[in-house]
Amino acid sequence: MIELRTAAEIEQMRPAGRFVGEVLSALRDKADVGVNLLELDALAHEMIRARGAESCYIDYHPSFGAMPFGKVLCTSVNDAVLHGLPHDYALADGDLLSVDFACSVDGWVADSALSVVVGTPRQEDLDLIDTTTRALTAGIAQARAGNRLGDVSAAIAEIAHAEGLSVNTQFGGHGVGRTMHGDPHVPNDGRVGRGLRLRPGLVIAIEPWFLHTTDEIYTDPDGWTIRSADGSRGAHMEHTIAVTMDDAVVLTERVA
């Protein structure tokens, strides 16, 4: 069921969005050569405790997950792009790291993700992050009342296709509110003028993710981590936004 939020409820969601942005900013700054993925998860866990927030991930067990997730972050490295289960791995020079984080503050959820290169970057990784960031920006620009969901999806895909990237639509954005995942599904490819008409008060996470040379994926033996079928690297960007009559309100802005 698609729920629309009042202006007052969107204001109540702002603290969750700010906190998610703060945590991702801290994780971005912490990520460095030699830092263990479990250290990043521990940092996020400590920030959650200090804030009195609640993780959306620890007990999360959807149909596509082999077991409850058990951690508070998704940390996806190199050819992993989504749902990366934190494990005992020290980041190496040149690793492409994607971090996805969602939590609840005062009963409201926010969800966001970013990708960074650790240490010495490869230009193709920087380009992929830039493309994914521009796709997110393009999608957000279309998320306004009167447009359709297909306008958001098509704007994302246009950026990807212009760079020669293919787009997987199995996983994408989603509604956000009292829970992390709700209706509607927001694919990263679509047709202009098609789909749900956007109305003020709709709160969604928009999250483009792309792989260098494929849109085919598989799930690791850990039952969660999603990797590219051909070993190519991936990038993932996400913001929780609220639809208005004007520009969308980005609830998960990060500290510069």
Side-chain angles (χ1 to χ4, degrees):
M1 181 177 69
I2 296 172
E3 298 184 75
L4 299 179
R5 304 299 174 186
T6 66
E9 286 176 325
I10 290 171
E11 286 302 309
Q12 291 168 13
M13 297 183 76
R14 285 184 183 272
R18 282 195 299 269
F19 178 65
V20 166
E22 289 168 5
V23 172
L24 281 174
S25 295
L27 294 167
R28 177 195 62 201
D29 295 343
K30 174 72 172 178
D32 203 351
V33 175
V35 173
N36 197 292
L37 298 181
L38 295 177
E39 292 180 64
L40 296 179
D41 191 73
L43 172 59
H45 209 155
E46 177 55 36
M47 293 182 74
I48 289 170
R49 284 194 294 266
R51 179 62 175 79
E54 182 177 346
S55 170
C56 292
Y57 288 174
I58 285 183
D59 297 323
Y60 187 53
H61 191 186
S63 59
F64 57 81
M67 73 290 287
F69 191 74
K71 301 295 183 183
V72 300
L73 291 179
C74 293
T75 52
S76 305
V77 181
N78 296 332
D79 63 321
V81 67
L82 296 174
H83 308 162
L85 187 62
H87 59 285
D88 184 12
Y89 174 79
L91 291 166
D93 187 48
D95 276 349
L96 174 51
L97 169 68
S98 297
V99 181
D100 195 350
F101 177 67
C103 76
S104 173
V105 175
D106 299 326
W108 293 104
V109 171
D111 189 4
S112 188
L114 57 76
S115 293
V116 295
V117 177
V118 175
T120 308
R122 304 181 186 183
Q123 187 59 51
E124 59 265 31
D125 290 342
L126 295 178
D127 291 343
L128 186 64
I129 292 172
D130 176 70
T131 299
T132 312
T133 301
R134 288 188 290 111
L136 175 59
T137 300
I140 291 172
Q142 292 298 319
R144 56 191 302 154
N147 283 0
R148 292 190 178 271
L149 196 61
D151 299 329
V152 176
S153 300
I156 292 169
E158 182 178 7
I159 299 295
H161 295 323
E163 299 298 332
L165 301 176
S166 55
V167 180
N168 179 296
T169 56
Q170 183 177 352
F171 295 98
H174 49 87
V176 180
R178 294 292 190 180
T179 60
M180 176 171 59
H181 286 150
D183 294 328
H185 174 61
V186 185
N188 289 321
D189 199 353
R191 297 179 64 182
V192 171
R194 297 295 183 90
L196 175 75
R197 188 173 295 281
L198 305 181
R199 296 169 59 190
L202 179 67
V203 179
I204 54 176
I206 299 175
E207 54 176 315
W209 59 276
F210 305 133
L211 299 161
H212 274 302
T213 56
T214 187
D215 60 7
E216 297 294 323
I217 55 176
Y218 73 94
T219 303
D220 251 5
D222 68 14
W224 278 99
T225 303
I226 291 177
R227 297 185 183 275
S228 66
D230 66 357
S232 62
R233 289 146 81 107
H236 178 200
M237 292 290 184
E238 176 183 18
H239 272 310
T240 297
I241 65 99
V243 174
T244 75
M245 291 301 298
D246 299 310
D247 291 340
V249 175
V250 178
L251 298 173
T252 49
E253 289 282 14
R254 293 184 278 274
V255 178

